[in-house]
Amino acid sequence: MDLLLSGLDILARWDVVLALLTGSVGGVLIGAIPGVGPAVAIAILLPATFSMDPIVGLTVLLGIYGSSMYGGAIPAILINTPGTAVNALTTYDGFPMTTRGEARRAISLAYSASFFGGIFSVICLMLFSPVLAKVAPMFGSREIFLAALLGIILVVTAHRRQTLIAAALACFGIFINTIGLEPVKYSKRYTFDQSFLSGGIDLIVVVLGLFALSQAFFLLQGEDEKTRINRLKGGLFQGLRELARHPRVAGVSASFGVLMGMIPGVGEFTAQFMSYTYAQKTSKRPEDFGHGSSEGLIAAETANNAVPAAAMVPLLALGIPGEALTAMMLSVFYVHNVVPGPQLFQNQMDFVVALYLALLILNVMVLVFLLFATNQLIKVVKIPNRFLGVAILTLSFVGVYSLRNSVTDCVIAALFGVLGFILKRLSLPIVPIILGMVLGGIMEVKLRAGMARVKTFPDFFMDGRGDDASLRPIAVILFLLIIAVLALHVRRAWADHKELKEAKWSTKHSSTHIGAQLSRRRSFILAERGKKRRAERSMLSRRSTDKS
């Protein structure tokens, strides 16, 4: 109770309340505009949050992160265009409901499911906070190194059929982080005697380039689309009552979101598809899924909104971000000398509770806002893409220049923007680069600190030597998890290879079989034509004989 009151005391400030309101409303607006997304908005706002108090800056970013998925459901349901990438599954059942005249019902149900998922995950994590506070101090340098390594491996293996390119991009991110002065002896690495590289390449510059500038280039090269949306009639409270009729689907989907959110590199997509598959297999009407099923819409929206709060667990407890958005938030911690990890749970538990309370209040504010402002909000869907592209481009360069008043940073951001644009056009992942930069730095520092007492490989999992040696159980568990993840990935890759090989053989065999059938058919037709011609010639010869 004391922690709860301390957390409320931290939030009871006018600037924190204003940050909550700005983040929640701004996140909904950003999510409702197709083609922008929370990553672009957070990247643009990052430089501005560095001058704020940690709780204020993080509250703004959390507001955008947690509320953007609410707004992303609006265009997904109304015009079959997801506002954010994680709302893609919402189109499966949301848009079919719109086509049969149930747009208000679909929007209301999406809001209600999102609200339930967000509240469920925050309450779960607040209840688990005492456990996390006890477990977090058990992580030393070696455990955090292994956890960061596991995070990179999970991120890479999550990109199925793109594992090699994801690994290469993650390694590229690690390499970028090594440029400049190394953190122990401050010797120069990969600077090539260029003074502007001595300070390294700033994470925010790379983030703004890869996410914001690349998206601006993407919007500028496209064409503006004219979108017509009809006004929604009636109240939007119906979804809360309908959600109550599907407690099993909502509860299981929210649980999937919490579990998947805590695992680095997994995130909303896995949680959504697991929830959607479960809901379809256990439904009494599985044939409705993909054609306007209320259960399918609940599963998709509940799962993706349960992830943001859960994704804060590895960030706060270990200082390890699980995806790009939490990696951006990590930079806000570092700027204000607030180091997430075991010490944060030991010394600033009230700060952690305040962040979770902010997420709880955020969901309430977003729901109230959406229930009364949806008809005005849907107008943002009509904003032209090229106008958005110019606005993002301008704000991004202003943000990059404001970091260090450096034109060089603007040039570097532009180069990464071109790289991000190329990767998007090739449908290749961008997130591994950012996580490679963040987790690579953590791995280097923690490995150097941990190796001071390590002489042989078994020493990595032991404290002390000889009879005084004791096992480090968490290090052993993390190492076994790494081995298990790699083994499962190799098994899955081999199964994919066999499936692809069988598909190629089947295609080749079927084409050969079809070719043989066509050849036999052609021979039969030619033979029949020959018989017919011979019969006609024989008949003509008989007629000529009869006449003579």
PDB file of all heavy atoms in Angstrom, residues 473-491:
ATOM      1  N   PRO A 473      22.538 -20.325 -10.533  1.00  0.00           N
ATOM      2  CA  PRO A 473      21.433 -21.034 -11.220  1.00  0.00           C
ATOM      3  C   PRO A 473      20.815 -20.249 -12.370  1.00  0.00           C
ATOM      4  O   PRO A 473      20.446 -20.822 -13.392  1.00  0.00           O
ATOM      5  CB  PRO A 473      20.416 -21.277 -10.099  1.00  0.00           C
ATOM      6  CG  PRO A 473      20.748 -20.277  -9.042  1.00  0.00           C
ATOM      7  CD  PRO A 473      22.219 -20.056  -9.126  1.00  0.00           C
ATOM      8  N   ILE A 474      20.676 -18.933 -12.220  1.00  0.00           N
ATOM      9  CA  ILE A 474      20.034 -18.149 -13.285  1.00  0.00           C
ATOM     10  C   ILE A 474      20.903 -18.152 -14.534  1.00  0.00           C
ATOM     11  O   ILE A 474      20.387 -18.238 -15.664  1.00  0.00           O
ATOM     12  CB  ILE A 474      19.766 -16.711 -12.793  1.00  0.00           C
ATOM     13  CG1 ILE A 474      18.729 -16.739 -11.671  1.00  0.00           C
ATOM     14  CG2 ILE A 474      19.279 -15.834 -13.939  1.00  0.00           C
ATOM     15  CD1 ILE A 474      18.358 -15.391 -11.120  1.00  0.00           C
ATOM     16  N   ALA A 475      22.222 -18.073 -14.354  1.00  0.00           N
ATOM     17  CA  ALA A 475      23.126 -18.129 -15.514  1.00  0.00           C
ATOM     18  C   ALA A 475      22.993 -19.464 -16.237  1.00  0.00           C
ATOM     19  O   ALA A 475      22.968 -19.521 -17.477  1.00  0.00           O
ATOM     20  CB  ALA A 475      24.569 -17.901 -15.066  1.00  0.00           C
ATOM     21  N   VAL A 476      22.896 -20.544 -15.480  1.00  0.00           N
ATOM     22  CA  VAL A 476      22.741 -21.877 -16.088  1.00  0.00           C
ATOM     23  C   VAL A 476      21.411 -21.966 -16.840  1.00  0.00           C
ATOM     24  O   VAL A 476      21.343 -22.467 -17.969  1.00  0.00           O
ATOM     25  CB  VAL A 476      22.817 -22.977 -15.003  1.00  0.00           C
ATOM     26  CG1 VAL A 476      22.511 -24.344 -15.604  1.00  0.00           C
ATOM     27  CG2 VAL A 476      24.191 -22.988 -14.354  1.00  0.00           C
ATOM     28  N   ILE A 477      20.335 -21.457 -16.217  1.00  0.00           N
ATOM     29  CA  ILE A 477      19.014 -21.509 -16.865  1.00  0.00           C
ATOM     30  C   ILE A 477      19.019 -20.716 -18.164  1.00  0.00           C
ATOM     31  O   ILE A 477      18.503 -21.168 -19.203  1.00  0.00           O
ATOM     32  CB  ILE A 477      17.934 -20.977 -15.900  1.00  0.00           C
ATOM     33  CG1 ILE A 477      17.758 -21.942 -14.727  1.00  0.00           C
ATOM     34  CG2 ILE A 477      16.608 -20.785 -16.627  1.00  0.00           C
ATOM     35  CD1 ILE A 477      16.879 -21.405 -13.615  1.00  0.00           C
ATOM     36  N   LEU A 478      19.608 -19.514 -18.141  1.00  0.00           N
ATOM     37  CA  LEU A 478      19.653 -18.690 -19.348  1.00  0.00           C
ATOM     38  C   LEU A 478      20.477 -19.351 -20.444  1.00  0.00           C
ATOM     39  O   LEU A 478      20.105 -19.315 -21.626  1.00  0.00           O
ATOM     40  CB  LEU A 478      20.234 -17.313 -19.010  1.00  0.00           C
ATOM     41  CG  LEU A 478      19.323 -16.391 -18.190  1.00  0.00           C
ATOM     42  CD1 LEU A 478      20.085 -15.158 -17.726  1.00  0.00           C
ATOM     43  CD2 LEU A 478      18.107 -15.983 -18.997  1.00  0.00           C
ATOM     44  N   PHE A 479      21.587 -19.977 -20.054  1.00  0.00           N
ATOM     45  CA  PHE A 479      22.418 -20.668 -21.046  1.00  0.00           C
ATOM     46  C   PHE A 479      21.653 -21.830 -21.671  1.00  0.00           C
ATOM     47  O   PHE A 479      21.695 -22.033 -22.896  1.00  0.00           O
ATOM     48  CB  PHE A 479      23.707 -21.158 -20.394  1.00  0.00           C
ATOM     49  CG  PHE A 479      24.624 -21.880 -21.334  1.00  0.00           C
ATOM     50  CD1 PHE A 479      25.339 -21.191 -22.298  1.00  0.00           C
ATOM     51  CD2 PHE A 479      24.769 -23.265 -21.263  1.00  0.00           C
ATOM     52  CE1 PHE A 479      26.180 -21.856 -23.172  1.00  0.00           C
ATOM     53  CE2 PHE A 479      25.607 -23.936 -22.126  1.00  0.00           C
ATOM     54  CZ  PHE A 479      26.318 -23.221 -23.091  1.00  0.00           C
ATOM     55  N   LEU A 480      20.931 -22.586 -20.848  1.00  0.00           N
ATOM     56  CA  LEU A 480      20.138 -23.708 -21.374  1.00  0.00           C
ATOM     57  C   LEU A 480      19.011 -23.207 -22.269  1.00  0.00           C
ATOM     58  O   LEU A 480      18.677 -23.850 -23.276  1.00  0.00           O
ATOM     59  CB  LEU A 480      19.573 -24.536 -20.217  1.00  0.00           C
ATOM     60  CG  LEU A 480      20.607 -25.303 -19.377  1.00  0.00           C
ATOM     61  CD1 LEU A 480      19.923 -26.004 -18.206  1.00  0.00           C
ATOM     62  CD2 LEU A 480      21.357 -26.321 -20.236  1.00  0.00           C
ATOM     63  N   LEU A 481      18.430 -22.065 -21.919  1.00  0.00           N
ATOM     64  CA  LEU A 481      17.393 -21.479 -22.777  1.00  0.00           C
ATOM     65  C   LEU A 481      17.962 -21.086 -24.141  1.00  0.00           C
ATOM     66  O   LEU A 481      17.312 -21.286 -25.180  1.00  0.00           O
ATOM     67  CB  LEU A 481      16.784 -20.257 -22.097  1.00  0.00           C
ATOM     68  CG  LEU A 481      15.750 -20.518 -21.001  1.00  0.00           C
ATOM     69  CD1 LEU A 481      15.345 -19.217 -20.329  1.00  0.00           C
ATOM     70  CD2 LEU A 481      14.513 -21.208 -21.584  1.00  0.00           C
ATOM     71  N   ILE A 482      19.174 -20.531 -24.139  1.00  0.00           N
ATOM     72  CA  ILE A 482      19.811 -20.167 -25.408  1.00  0.00           C
ATOM     73  C   ILE A 482      20.018 -21.405 -26.271  1.00  0.00           C
ATOM     74  O   ILE A 482      19.714 -21.410 -27.471  1.00  0.00           O
ATOM     75  CB  ILE A 482      21.156 -19.449 -25.141  1.00  0.00           C
ATOM     76  CG1 ILE A 482      20.901 -18.063 -24.556  1.00  0.00           C
ATOM     77  CG2 ILE A 482      21.977 -19.329 -26.425  1.00  0.00           C
ATOM     78  CD1 ILE A 482      22.146 -17.364 -24.071  1.00  0.00           C
ATOM     79  N   ILE A 483      20.526 -22.482 -25.666  1.00  0.00           N
ATOM     80  CA  ILE A 483      20.735 -23.736 -26.404  1.00  0.00           C
ATOM     81  C   ILE A 483      19.404 -24.263 -26.931  1.00  0.00           C
ATOM     82  O   ILE A 483      19.300 -24.708 -28.092  1.00  0.00           O
ATOM     83  CB  ILE A 483      21.418 -24.785 -25.503  1.00  0.00           C
ATOM     84  CG1 ILE A 483      22.796 -24.298 -25.040  1.00  0.00           C
ATOM     85  CG2 ILE A 483      21.554 -26.112 -26.238  1.00  0.00           C
ATOM     86  CD1 ILE A 483      23.772 -24.041 -26.158  1.00  0.00           C
ATOM     87  N   ALA A 484      18.357 -24.216 -26.084  1.00  0.00           N
ATOM     88  CA  ALA A 484      17.045 -24.733 -26.489  1.00  0.00           C
ATOM     89  C   ALA A 484      16.464 -23.915 -27.649  1.00  0.00           C
ATOM     90  O   ALA A 484      15.921 -24.478 -28.608  1.00  0.00           O
ATOM     91  CB  ALA A 484      16.091 -24.716 -25.295  1.00  0.00           C
ATOM     92  N   VAL A 485      16.584 -22.591 -27.577  1.00  0.00           N
ATOM     93  CA  VAL A 485      16.055 -21.731 -28.648  1.00  0.00           C
ATOM     94  C   VAL A 485      16.774 -22.006 -29.955  1.00  0.00           C
ATOM     95  O   VAL A 485      16.148 -22.126 -31.026  1.00  0.00           O
ATOM     96  CB  VAL A 485      16.186 -20.249 -28.248  1.00  0.00           C
ATOM     97  CG1 VAL A 485      15.895 -19.343 -29.448  1.00  0.00           C
ATOM     98  CG2 VAL A 485      15.228 -19.926 -27.115  1.00  0.00           C
ATOM     99  N   LEU A 486      18.095 -22.134 -29.898  1.00  0.00           N
ATOM    100  CA  LEU A 486      18.857 -22.414 -31.116  1.00  0.00           C
ATOM    101  C   LEU A 486      18.506 -23.789 -31.683  1.00  0.00           C
ATOM    102  O   LEU A 486      18.358 -23.946 -32.904  1.00  0.00           O
ATOM    103  CB  LEU A 486      20.361 -22.341 -30.818  1.00  0.00           C
ATOM    104  CG  LEU A 486      20.916 -20.935 -30.528  1.00  0.00           C
ATOM    105  CD1 LEU A 486      22.387 -21.023 -30.109  1.00  0.00           C
ATOM    106  CD2 LEU A 486      20.774 -20.037 -31.747  1.00  0.00           C
ATOM    107  N   ALA A 487      18.361 -24.789 -30.789  1.00  0.00           N
ATOM    108  CA  ALA A 487      18.009 -26.133 -31.255  1.00  0.00           C
ATOM    109  C   ALA A 487      16.627 -26.149 -31.900  1.00  0.00           C
ATOM    110  O   ALA A 487      16.437 -26.758 -32.968  1.00  0.00           O
ATOM    111  CB  ALA A 487      18.066 -27.115 -30.079  1.00  0.00           C
ATOM    112  N   LEU A 488      15.671 -25.483 -31.264  1.00  0.00           N
ATOM    113  CA  LEU A 488      14.319 -25.431 -31.840  1.00  0.00           C
ATOM    114  C   LEU A 488      14.311 -24.694 -33.173  1.00  0.00           C
ATOM    115  O   LEU A 488      13.589 -25.080 -34.097  1.00  0.00           O
ATOM    116  CB  LEU A 488      13.369 -24.744 -30.853  1.00  0.00           C
ATOM    117  CG  LEU A 488      12.987 -25.542 -29.609  1.00  0.00           C
ATOM    118  CD1 LEU A 488      12.185 -24.680 -28.645  1.00  0.00           C
ATOM    119  CD2 LEU A 488      12.181 -26.786 -29.983  1.00  0.00           C
ATOM    120  N   HIS A 489      15.126 -23.646 -33.266  1.00  0.00           N
ATOM    121  CA  HIS A 489      15.173 -22.911 -34.530  1.00  0.00           C
ATOM    122  C   HIS A 489      15.781 -23.765 -35.644  1.00  0.00           C
ATOM    123  O   HIS A 489      15.290 -23.757 -36.781  1.00  0.00           O
ATOM    124  CB  HIS A 489      15.980 -21.629 -34.364  1.00  0.00           C
ATOM    125  CG  HIS A 489      16.129 -20.868 -35.641  1.00  0.00           C
ATOM    126  ND1 HIS A 489      15.078 -20.231 -36.259  1.00  0.00           N
ATOM    127  CD2 HIS A 489      17.207 -20.681 -36.450  1.00  0.00           C
ATOM    128  CE1 HIS A 489      15.504 -19.672 -37.376  1.00  0.00           C
ATOM    129  NE2 HIS A 489      16.777 -19.925 -37.516  1.00  0.00           N
ATOM    130  N   VAL A 490      16.851 -24.498 -35.323  1.00  0.00           N
ATOM    131  CA  VAL A 490      17.464 -25.378 -36.331  1.00  0.00           C
ATOM    132  C   VAL A 490      16.462 -26.440 -36.771  1.00  0.00           C
ATOM    133  O   VAL A 490      16.340 -26.741 -37.970  1.00  0.00           O
ATOM    134  CB  VAL A 490      18.743 -26.024 -35.760  1.00  0.00           C
ATOM    135  CG1 VAL A 490      19.251 -27.117 -36.689  1.00  0.00           C
ATOM    136  CG2 VAL A 490      19.821 -24.966 -35.560  1.00  0.00           C
ATOM    137  N   ARG A 491      15.728 -26.988 -35.806  1.00  0.00           N
ATOM    138  CA  ARG A 491      14.718 -27.994 -36.142  1.00  0.00           C
ATOM    139  C   ARG A 491      13.632 -27.410 -37.042  1.00  0.00           C
ATOM    140  O   ARG A 491      13.229 -28.018 -38.037  1.00  0.00           O
ATOM    141  CB  ARG A 491      14.106 -28.523 -34.847  1.00  0.00           C
ATOM    142  CG  ARG A 491      13.029 -29.580 -35.063  1.00  0.00           C
ATOM    143  CD  ARG A 491      12.435 -30.011 -33.737  1.00  0.00           C
ATOM    144  NE  ARG A 491      11.338 -30.937 -33.935  1.00  0.00           N
ATOM    145  CZ  ARG A 491      10.574 -31.418 -32.942  1.00  0.00           C
ATOM    146  NH1 ARG A 491      10.820 -31.050 -31.699  1.00  0.00           N
ATOM    147  NH2 ARG A 491       9.596 -32.252 -33.196  1.00  0.00           N
TER     148      ARG A 491
END
